[in-house]
Amino acid sequence: MKNDRDRSVRLLWETPAEATRGPKAALSQARVVEAAIKVADADGIDALTMRRVAETLGSTAMALYRHVPGKSELLDLMVDAVWGETESTPKGQWRAGLEFFARQVWDMYRAHPWMLQLTTSRRVPGPQAMTRCDAAYAVVSELGLAPEEIVAVVTAVAQFVDGVGRTMADRVQAERETGVSEEDWWNGREALWEHFTPERLPMMSHIWNTGGFHRLLDEFEFGLARVLDGLAVFIETEDRPLVRPQTCL
């Protein structure tokens, strides 16, 4: 396992030595990663195989292995390449900076919903992703917070975007697999709606009857504003409480 992990680190952080002449020059690590992203965008990450990527490039799976050792490493490279499509958070006011960071991540997830299936806590991070995170930390560092507070503030924003993004990605995947839109799926649940009565669910029935579920607020815009509002209260409080993680006994 150690060798596999180190191999991803080298692929991500060291410039690959690619052939510039001859048959091998027709392929490159960058071209393989670009083709893999196109496959994932079109059909989802579950459709991604080395064979499928090779077919997209008009090549063979064996030829791909000269540039990318395997699918696991390819996924690491894809994630970092997509992060490279985002812009680094500019210096300035903390709230504007974190909002910029959140919108960049949100746009990334909307363009590539499959990313949410790959953003795990144990995926090897690449230089593009880490550069974006470093810039977000730098914006918050101007507030004079403790190092752990800087991490907590940026993490709160990132986890909010991840949460909303996962809901969006689930909808995209479900529609791709079933061919049925989110709205059509819910509209087809007549048997369920019969149980939503004022006697059993008085508040939900009231909201439904007054149109509340038909005038939903934008979940990303509303949530991001409230997260930033809450962080503003935390930042402006002189005696900020630090919530330490509980240790399991």
Side-chain angles (χ1 to χ4, degrees):
M1 294 298 293
K2 182 178 184 298
N3 291 335
D4 288 343
R5 183 173 62 249
D6 290 346
R7 185 165 60 183
S8 279
V9 171
R10 288 193 298 273
L11 282 168
L12 286 162
W13 290 88
E14 299 175 11
T15 303
E18 301 283 9
T20 57
R21 295 181 180 181
K24 289 184 179 181
L27 281 180
S28 66
Q29 184 185 102
R31 285 198 65 204
V32 173
V33 172
E34 181 182 3
I37 291 173
K38 289 181 179 178
V39 170
D41 286 346
D43 299 314
I45 201 68
D46 294 335
L48 183 73
T49 63
M50 297 296 280
R51 182 184 298 276
R52 176 73 184 280
V53 176
E55 291 173 353
T56 302
L57 292 167
S59 184
T60 65
M62 290 303 297
L64 265 59
Y65 288 115
R66 299 192 188 103
H67 305 278
V68 179
K71 183 177 178 180
S72 177
E73 292 81 8
L74 177 58
L75 294 175
D76 288 337
L77 290 167
M78 289 168 63
V79 168
D80 204 53
V82 169
W83 269 103
E85 298 174 5
T86 66
E87 297 180 37
S88 188
T89 303
K91 293 184 178 180
Q93 295 294 322
W94 73 267
R95 180 162 182 146
L98 287 183
E99 182 176 345
F100 182 90
F101 170 71
R103 292 188 185 282
Q104 288 291 302
V105 178
W106 176 238
D107 288 345
M108 177 181 71
Y109 288 156
R110 288 197 299 173
H112 310 285
W114 50 267
M115 279 281 288
L116 276 304
Q117 295 176 253
L118 302 180
T119 52
T120 66
S121 61
R122 295 193 178 185
R123 181 162 298 284
V124 178
Q128 298 290 351
M130 291 297 93
T131 298
R132 304 305 185 266
C133 292
D134 188 79
Y137 288 145
V139 170
V140 181
S141 70
E142 301 296 324
L143 297 170
L145 301 177
E148 59 267 37
E149 292 176 318
I150 295 173
V151 174
V153 167
V154 174
T155 298
V157 174
Q159 288 184 340
F160 160 73
V161 182
D162 284 358
V164 181
R166 290 184 191 284
T167 300
M168 177 272 298
D170 287 344
R171 293 169 182 163
V172 171
Q173 184 175 0
E175 184 168 347
R176 175 182 286 123
E177 292 175 351
T178 64
V180 179
S181 70
E182 184 80 2
E183 183 178 2
D184 288 343
W185 190 89
W186 283 107
N187 287 338
R189 307 275 77 80
E190 290 86 355
L192 173 65
W193 306 136
E194 293 176 359
H195 299 282
F196 281 56
T197 63
E199 293 75 25
R200 178 173 288 179
L201 301 167
M203 197 62 236
M204 290 191 70
S205 296
H206 169 72
I207 293 174
W208 174 266
N209 291 330
T210 55
F213 289 115
H214 297 288
R215 302 190 304 272
L216 295 176
L217 300 180
D218 185 290
E219 55 192 359
F220 173 78
E221 296 294 343
F222 178 84
L224 177 60
R226 301 294 77 75
V227 169
L228 295 175
D229 288 345
L231 289 173
V233 173
F234 171 78
I235 290 167
E236 293 166 6
T237 301
E238 293 184 4
D239 186 19
R240 293 187 294 268
L242 291 182
V243 183
R244 300 294 182 183
Q246 295 181 353
T247 55
C248 298
L249 298 178

